[in-house]
Amino acid sequence: GIQVEQSPPDLILQEGANSTLRCNFSDSVNNLQWFHQNPWGQLINLFYIPSGTKQNGRLSATTVATERYSLLYISSSQTTDSGVYFCAVEGGGGSNYKLTFGKGTLLTVNP
Amino acid sequence: GAVVSQHPSWVICKSGTSVKIECRSLDFQATTMFWYRQFPKQSLMLMATSNEGSKATYEQGVEKDKFLINHASLTLSTLTVTSAHPEDSSFYICSTRRYLNTEAFFGQGTRLTVV
């Protein structure tokens, strides 16, 4: 099946700093999403972005499908941005619409 | 507002008992729902795909007799952990989407502790 690798696994920032999280995948994809998992476990949808670039406030994401990677940018980070960020993909061709998750990036934003 | 509602949020049960987790699609009819399991500090692993009106499809290594899935209506899927043991303690999350190849939405998750 499709492989998803996220980097870095851990990231510690001071409030106000910017960061870039990366998601590499091993095959073509029909679907790619970024999630933020809050301390209670809830997965918050950030972006549905199988290709192209999107922005939502301080967050933006870019997926270059032909090169099999996606980037999540967080600008002017806040303590509330802390948590685990997951990239999940649905492989193209016979994937049965399953989402495969990366191992996540644990982000800690210190005041 | 929430698209997917999952209950209960947490449950503690004794070894040998069964626990039922409900997942409701609030905004649309969901012919397909997905059940995931997450161990502490790990990623989400797909357990099974729940199909309305038919049998669920289980991922390799997932015991279908241990994790019973019922998808009797277009808005409700249930996961029953039968004869639960401490090793079944985990975080279980359901998911659905309006149309395949579109954005997936997740429930709040259920934290199961078996004592």
Side-chain angles (χ1 to χ4, degrees), chain A residues 30-31 33 35 37 39-43 45-48 86 90 96-104 106, chain B residues 34 36 38 41-44 46 49 59 91 93 95 97 100-109 111:
Chain A
N30 293 329
N31 176 8
Q33 290 184 241
F35 299 92
Q37 188 169 39
W40 297 272
Q42 173 79 55
L43 282 172
N45 289 34
L46 297 178
F47 294 102
Y48 169 72
F86 286 107
E90 174 193 321
N96 296 322
Y97 309 107
K98 304 174 187 177
L99 277 180
T100 299
F101 281 75
K103 293 185 177 181
L106 175 59
Chain B
F34 303 89
Y36 293 82
Q38 184 181 30
K41 300 187 185 300
Q42 294 190 24
S43 188
L44 282 75
L46 180 66
T49 303
E59 294 300 299
F91 191 62
I93 315 176
S95 170
R97 48 179 85 173
L100 297 175
N101 281 344
T102 62
E103 182 179 11
F105 296 95
F106 285 78
Q108 302 94 319
R111 195 166 304 280

Side-chain angles (χ1 to χ4, degrees), chain A residues 37-75:
Chain A
Q37 188 169 39
N38 66 22
W40 297 272
Q42 173 79 55
L43 282 172
I44 309 299
N45 289 34
L46 297 178
F47 294 102
Y48 169 72
I49 188 166
S51 63
T53 297
K54 290 185 178 180
Q55 181 157 5
N56 184 2
R58 296 182 296 104
L59 303 181
S60 64
T62 295
T63 297
V64 184
T66 53
E67 297 187 21
R68 298 181 182 170
Y69 73 88
S70 183
L71 302 174
L72 177 68
Y73 306 96
I74 304 174
S75 65

Side-chain angles (χ1 to χ4, degrees), chain B residues 77-96:
Chain B
S77 175
T78 61
L79 168 67
T80 301
V81 183
T82 62
S83 187
H85 292 285
E87 57 266 30
D88 298 324
S89 298
S90 190
F91 191 62
Y92 295 88
I93 315 176
C94 67
S95 170
T96 190

Side-chain angles (χ1 to χ4, degrees), chain B residues 47-85:
Chain B
M47 298 174 64
T49 303
S50 167
N51 302 296
E52 188 269 336
S54 64
K55 291 183 179 180
T57 303
Y58 291 82
E59 294 300 299
Q60 190 173 8
V62 177
E63 300 175 60
K64 61 181 180 181
D65 295 330
K66 158 70 78 176
F67 300 102
L68 297 180
I69 291 174
N70 183 284
H71 194 154
S73 79
L74 286 170
T75 57
L76 175 65
S77 175
T78 61
L79 168 67
T80 301
V81 183
T82 62
S83 187
H85 292 285

Side-chain angles (χ1 to χ4, degrees), chain B residues 19-36:
Chain B
V19 174
K20 180 184 286 188
I21 302 169
E22 292 187 347
C23 180
R24 293 182 184 275
S25 176
L26 301 180
D27 282 2
F28 51 84
Q29 295 180 331
T31 56
T32 303
M33 289 186 174
F34 303 89
W35 287 94
Y36 293 82

